[in-house]
Amino acid sequence: MTGLLVLLVVALVVIAAASLVGPRLRVAAPLLLVAVGVGASYVPALAEVHVEPHWILEGVLPPLLYAAAVSMPAMNFRREFGAISGLSVVLVVISALVLGTFFSAVVPGLGLAWGVALGAVVSPTDAVATSIIKQTPTSRRVVAMLDGESLLNDATALVILSTATTAALLSFSVWGAVGDFAYSIAVAVVLGLAVGLLNLAVRRRVTDPTVNTVISFAVPFAAAVPATALGASGLVAAVVAGLLTGVLAPRYLSPQHRLSDSQNWRTLELVLEGAVFLTMGLQVSSIVADVHRDHGGVGTAVLVAAGALVLLLLVRAAYVAPLLLALRAGSRRGEQLRGRLEEFQSTLGAAEGSPDGTAGVDARSGRRLGRARSQRDVERFALRVTRGLADIAYFRRQPLGWRDGSIVVWAGMRGAVTVAAAQTLPEDAPQRSVLVLVAFAVAALSLLVQGGTVGPLVRRLGQAGDDTEAQRHLTEERDRVTELIRSSAASVPEPARPSGEPTTEQFLEAKEHRLAVIAAQRSALLDARDNGTFDAEVLEKALANLDAA
């Protein structure tokens, strides 16, 4: 027991040290932790350390993905959902099939079904690994796409893995696989929404911030465990619960709860992320020993892994290139619609003022309908128009070019999900130890090659011409948010100023006025967030400042 406690303490110290030293050495902390883990795996006392893959898939990833989903700006996720869904589903399926063909060709006696299973293992990008890109000056659209992709693509990969394993052992049905995937996602989404709503309903009634945070730690498991028990994706359920919580928590939870949540979840994220990468490194020696024992060497497996990584990057590049063209075409179509949307917006005021009920406006054509529409209908349409114009402005300000496409391709790193999923392969899989080593080598090479060079790549590609424009826009956004805060504060009537020394009652009245001002300011900021009319990051910082106030 003492030895385990010492090991835990050392692990926490190493995680903290890597987080502090990494930025100074210009090396991502996950890379340092993997290196430390690899070195520690050859220490005799640690050589036999074995981490159950289900501990990672079911015990570590749900809270990590939940935390990432809670902190992700919902408006950016919505705007990039088309690209995210393609990267999370279509690209994973293509990668698994291409890699499956490759593995079945280069690994003797493997077969296509087991090849696709291994292809599914190495196809998804890792949410923890892609956190490296956030430390670089990258376009926010790129960060949103990579974040969203890594949140959702695990479900696709795990469903393909299960289907391919079943096909190898029993039989395979294309429609059965499609049905399994649809069921897995649908049930996970329903459970995630239900748990997210229940989470907020319970926690808004809890007054103690510490107790509230403890309850929040149970939320990702409350979503993931039932989903897994029903044969659905527990990870998607945790992500959906996190997205819903991130959107609604600023309106439902108190400032004390939000601040407590933020600090404690950041701490938990740091520990869990570090533990994931340390355990990745710690398993090296045992995996290598298994391959040496069963197959006499690791050289071939490493070469196969290198080839698989190159192929993964080529497939990703081949997919991202037309994706960027499609996104740019969509931006051009939005520009063409901007004039009509502005006309709709200018006529909505007159429609709202009609004395005989509001005249209806068709959401697609914009033409007035024969029967009157309610005020709520017009408000909904006005919100859609406002969001549409905000989206068009967002895409115009942040166009995606070949530099961004290169970063999207290179920043798609593999990590702990790949290693953990590989170890769930059945014991009777052909050359199982080799397959596990290939998966580990792909993840390790991805972190080393891509993770170690993505920072210099971003700086080398650079967007010097865009930096000034981006900074100017951020300054304008801050000024607009400041003006919104001032105007919303002015809407709250001020109490009478005391002529002399304020009494206790007057002091309490002034305090209540200050709280009412903050509430009005937060409400205005949240309405602006939902409309999408301001930069998401600027709004998040302003809301955090008001929470602290």
Side-chain angles (χ1 to χ4, degrees), residues 260-327:
S260 175
D261 269 11
S262 175
Q263 185 62 45
N264 287 299
W265 270 104
R266 282 203 299 269
T267 303
L268 185 64
E269 273 189 284
L270 176 66
V271 173
L272 290 180
E273 287 179 4
V276 164
F277 287 106
L278 274 176
T279 54
M280 276 183 61
L282 279 173
Q283 296 174 83
V284 168
S285 62
S286 60
I287 295 173
V288 170
D290 289 343
V291 175
H292 267 297
R293 183 187 65 247
D294 298 338
H295 304 282
V298 300
T300 302
V302 173
L303 287 176
V304 170
L309 181 59
V310 171
L311 196 54
L312 278 170
L313 292 173
L314 292 176
V315 171
R316 189 173 178 85
Y319 180 84
V320 168
L323 172 64
L324 292 183
L325 293 177
L327 292 176

Side-chain angles (χ1 to χ4, degrees), residues 73-323:
M75 190 59 64
N76 290 353
F77 183 85
R78 179 188 64 78
R79 285 166 170 163
E80 305 297 346
F81 185 74
I84 289 171
S85 57
L87 291 168
S88 302
V89 179
V90 179
L91 179 57
V92 173
V93 172
I94 294 173
S95 299
L97 294 176
V98 173
L99 268 293
T101 304
F102 169 75
F103 288 133
S104 64
V106 299
V107 179
L110 185 61
L112 181 61
W114 288 114
V116 171
L118 183 57
V121 166
V122 301
S123 292
T125 56
D126 189 83
V128 183
T130 53
S131 64
I132 295 173
I133 196 65
K134 297 179 183 178
Q135 304 170 20
T136 65
T138 307
S139 163
R140 291 172 184 167
R141 290 192 66 185
V142 171
V143 172
M145 290 166 62
L146 292 170
D147 267 350
E149 176 193 10
S150 60
L151 288 177
L152 299 178
N153 61 9
D154 298 333
T156 306
L158 293 177
V159 169
I160 296 174
L161 172 60
S162 175
T163 303
T165 302
T166 302
L169 298 176
L170 300 171
S171 60
F172 172 73
S173 167
V174 174
W175 291 113
V178 173
D180 288 344
F181 180 76
Y183 170 83
S184 176
I185 298 301
V187 172
V189 169
V190 171
L191 282 174
L193 292 174
V195 171
L197 291 173
L198 181 62
N199 158 46
L200 293 170
V202 171
R203 292 172 60 202
R204 71 184 300 186
R205 291 171 172 79
V206 177
T207 57
D208 189 330
T210 305
V211 175
N212 196 285
T213 301
V214 171
I215 295 174
S216 77
F217 288 159
V219 173
F221 301 106
V225 172
T228 302
L230 293 173
S233 172
L235 299 182
V236 170
V239 167
V240 172
L243 289 172
L244 186 68
T245 301
V247 172
L248 298 182
R251 293 190 183 274
Y252 283 84
L253 301 183
S254 70
Q256 291 89 345
H257 291 349
R258 292 191 296 272
L259 291 172
S260 175
D261 269 11
S262 175
Q263 185 62 45
N264 287 299
W265 270 104
R266 282 203 299 269
T267 303
L268 185 64
E269 273 189 284
L270 176 66
V271 173
L272 290 180
E273 287 179 4
V276 164
F277 287 106
L278 274 176
T279 54
M280 276 183 61
L282 279 173
Q283 296 174 83
V284 168
S285 62
S286 60
I287 295 173
V288 170
D290 289 343
V291 175
H292 267 297
R293 183 187 65 247
D294 298 338
H295 304 282
V298 300
T300 302
V302 173
L303 287 176
V304 170
L309 181 59
V310 171
L311 196 54
L312 278 170
L313 292 173
L314 292 176
V315 171
R316 189 173 178 85
Y319 180 84
V320 168
L323 172 64

Side-chain angles (χ1 to χ4, degrees), residues 42 236 449:
Y42 288 95
V236 170
V449 177

